[in-house]
Amino acid sequence: MAYLIKTYTFSSPVPVASNHPFAGQANISFSEAQEEIIYLDDRDNKFVPVDVNTGRDQKLLKETEIGGVTLPEGTMLTYRSNLVTMIIDPQTGYRYLVMFPQQAGTAVSNMTEIGDRTTVMVIPETPDTPEFDPSRTYNYHTAPQKLEIVVQPAAIPPNYLSGMCFAAGTLIETANGSRPVETLRLGDLILTRDHGLRPLSWIGGRKVSARLLDVAPNLRPVTIRKGALGPGLPAQDLVLSPQHRVLMTSTIAERIAGTSETLIAVKHLCGMPGIAASPTPKGIDYHHLLFDRHELVLSNGCWTESLFTGPQAMRSMGPSARREIALLFPQLLAGTGFAPARPFLSGRDGRELARRHLKNAKPLLV
């Protein structure tokens, strides 16, 4: 299962007493702290003080930055049970646990605190306690003597892990013919629908384990079988991440979107003949392709999008990838993303498109 932990990072180290965060403090404000939501893979819904990394519990689902430290996927997140503070909302009486994040080591002696004490984890006292509200003001309450932190299981949102990705083996049309996506390199010239041959600006990729896909089944790749979009389209089975968008050019798509060409996330086409989420008992290798603008590329004979650097896609990236992309395109840090190559169809409209095509037995591409 998976659950979430919220972290709050301040501009300077938080006040401590006897190594307890906010001990003895009143009118504690989190309003100017940066909130991050972290999802952990665990066998149960108990967030416990783990001294030794067993390789099984409380593992980060992706590369994550905490307190200025970049931690790899699979890092075990924990805390010291004797250094937990409880804070209380004086108006509602709701209580929350605050602790410094720790990384479990191979032995008790090398469990390490993460960061410079500018970042704390905040967890509701019980599963029934309302979600923590950083806009409210809190007071120090106590240092709990006996502690068992039970958290609510949480569904992992698709944009937490899945950007616009091609599965390994996807054939991308280049200046030198079709090539498997995993063989492409920076600067390779790729055929685009709108701008001819364009050089690749950045390539990313990650291995998504079968375990992770079990924890988050909504992230399982979608397979479009050969010919499922129309005669000879795709030319062979095409495997994409569920958020990846495919170009639609049907009359029905034009009626719904008001334009002759639109992009739809492939997950919204599931249920159409030959389009379904794929079982992945060995996990899957995903690859991102980024240009200096949002482009359409030929993948297994179909026009699909390159990586779109909108806020959701950027959040799905690990901090290392975000830094690399920001160095190439600084404007993305200012919130000025690339314009989409075609209008995006919403989830509701995408499902309606699939329903109409299924009802009328019309190909998705004409």
Side-chain angles (χ1 to χ4, degrees):
M1 72 172 59
Y3 52 79
L4 66 86
I5 300 291
K6 289 186 175 182
T7 67
Y8 292 88
T9 299
F10 296 81
S11 58
S12 59
V14 303
V16 298
S18 300
N19 288 319
H20 286 74
F22 301 114
Q25 299 290 309
N27 299 316
I28 304 167
S29 173
F30 291 76
S31 61
E32 295 185 2
Q34 180 180 348
E35 180 186 83
E36 295 288 344
I37 297 176
I38 297 169
Y39 289 86
L40 300 180
D41 176 17
D42 204 341
R43 291 175 297 172
D44 56 32
N45 62 335
K46 295 179 180 179
F47 187 54
V48 299
V50 180
D51 295 327
V52 178
N53 188 340
T54 63
R56 292 182 294 178
D57 293 308
Q58 301 174 192
K59 295 189 297 182
L60 294 175
L61 286 172
K62 69 175 185 179
E63 182 188 70
T64 304
E65 185 173 310
I66 299 176
V69 178
T70 299
L71 303 169
E73 176 184 341
T75 298
M76 183 176 289
L77 193 64
T78 185
Y79 59 95
R80 293 190 181 275
S81 58
N82 61 336
L83 298 180
V84 177
T85 293
M86 185 176 289
I87 60 175
I88 187 170
D89 183 329
Q91 295 185 354
T92 66
Y94 293 128
R95 298 182 295 192
Y96 301 87
L97 303 168
V98 183
M99 62 211 73
F100 291 118
Q102 301 269 344
Q103 178 180 351
T106 55
V108 175
S109 59
N110 61 15
M111 184 170 70
T112 56
E113 190 168 286
I114 302 169
D116 55 2
R117 294 198 167 183
T118 57
T119 298
V120 293
M121 300 184 290
V122 181
I123 303 173
E125 179 188 21
T126 72
D128 297 325
T129 304
E131 184 176 354
F132 181 74
D133 183 353
S135 68
R136 301 182 68 83
T137 300
Y138 299 85
N139 294 332
Y140 170 76
H141 182 63
T142 185
Q145 299 301 310
K146 293 184 179 180
L147 189 64
E148 181 179 67
I149 302 179
V150 179
V151 291
Q152 290 281 15
I156 303 171
N159 61 13
Y160 185 72
L161 293 167
S162 176
M164 299 75 187
C165 313
F166 298 98
T170 302
L171 295 178
I172 305 296
E173 197 65 28
T174 76
N176 298 311
S178 298
R179 289 174 51 189
V181 63
E182 65 271 23
T183 70
L184 299 177
R185 299 292 180 264
L186 291 181
D188 282 349
L189 295 176
I190 309 299
L191 180 64
T192 69
R193 186 174 177 91
D194 300 324
H195 304 104
L197 294 171
R198 297 295 302 165
L200 274 173
S201 299
W202 181 84
I203 301 172
R206 64 171 297 183
K207 170 76 175 181
V208 180
S209 68
R211 168 61 185 170
L212 192 152
L213 294 171
D214 284 340
V215 171
N218 59 330
L219 303 178
R220 290 173 183 163
V222 174
T223 297
I224 305 175
R225 296 296 179 192
K226 177 181 177 179
L229 298 178
L233 297 173
Q236 61 190 64
D237 290 357
L238 176 61
V239 182
L240 303 170
S241 62
Q243 300 291 97
H244 205 131
R245 299 180 185 93
V246 180
L247 184 68
M248 294 285 104
T249 59
S250 70
T251 302
I252 294 174
E254 183 172 3
R255 289 171 181 165
I256 291 175
T259 181
S260 59
E261 296 186 348
T262 187
L263 287 164
I264 179 173
V266 68
K267 66 179 182 178
H268 300 312
L269 300 178
C270 287
M272 296 288 294
I275 306 177
S278 309
T280 50
K282 296 182 179 180
I284 190 167
D285 291 317
Y286 274 143
H287 299 270
H288 308 287
L289 303 180
L290 179 65
F291 299 87
D292 60 359
R293 70 188 84 193
H294 193 220
E295 297 281 13
L296 301 177
V297 301
L298 269 179
S299 54
N300 290 7
C302 292
W303 292 107
T304 55
E305 68 174 332
S306 65
L307 179 63
F308 180 67
T309 52
Q312 289 188 352
M314 293 300 288
R315 280 195 295 270
S316 74
M317 300 285 182
S320 296
R322 286 198 299 270
R323 283 193 290 267
E324 290 175 8
I325 293 172
L327 285 173
L328 292 170
F329 306 107
Q331 69 270 27
L332 298 177
L333 292 179
T336 307
F338 298 150
R342 296 293 186 279
F344 296 161
L345 211 57
S346 68
R348 182 179 64 181
D349 286 344
R351 291 185 290 272
E352 175 63 13
L353 178 143
R355 186 192 70 80
R356 291 193 197 180
H357 273 275
L358 193 60
K359 177 182 177 181
N360 296 290
K362 297 289 186 181
L364 289 161
L365 294 176
V366 293

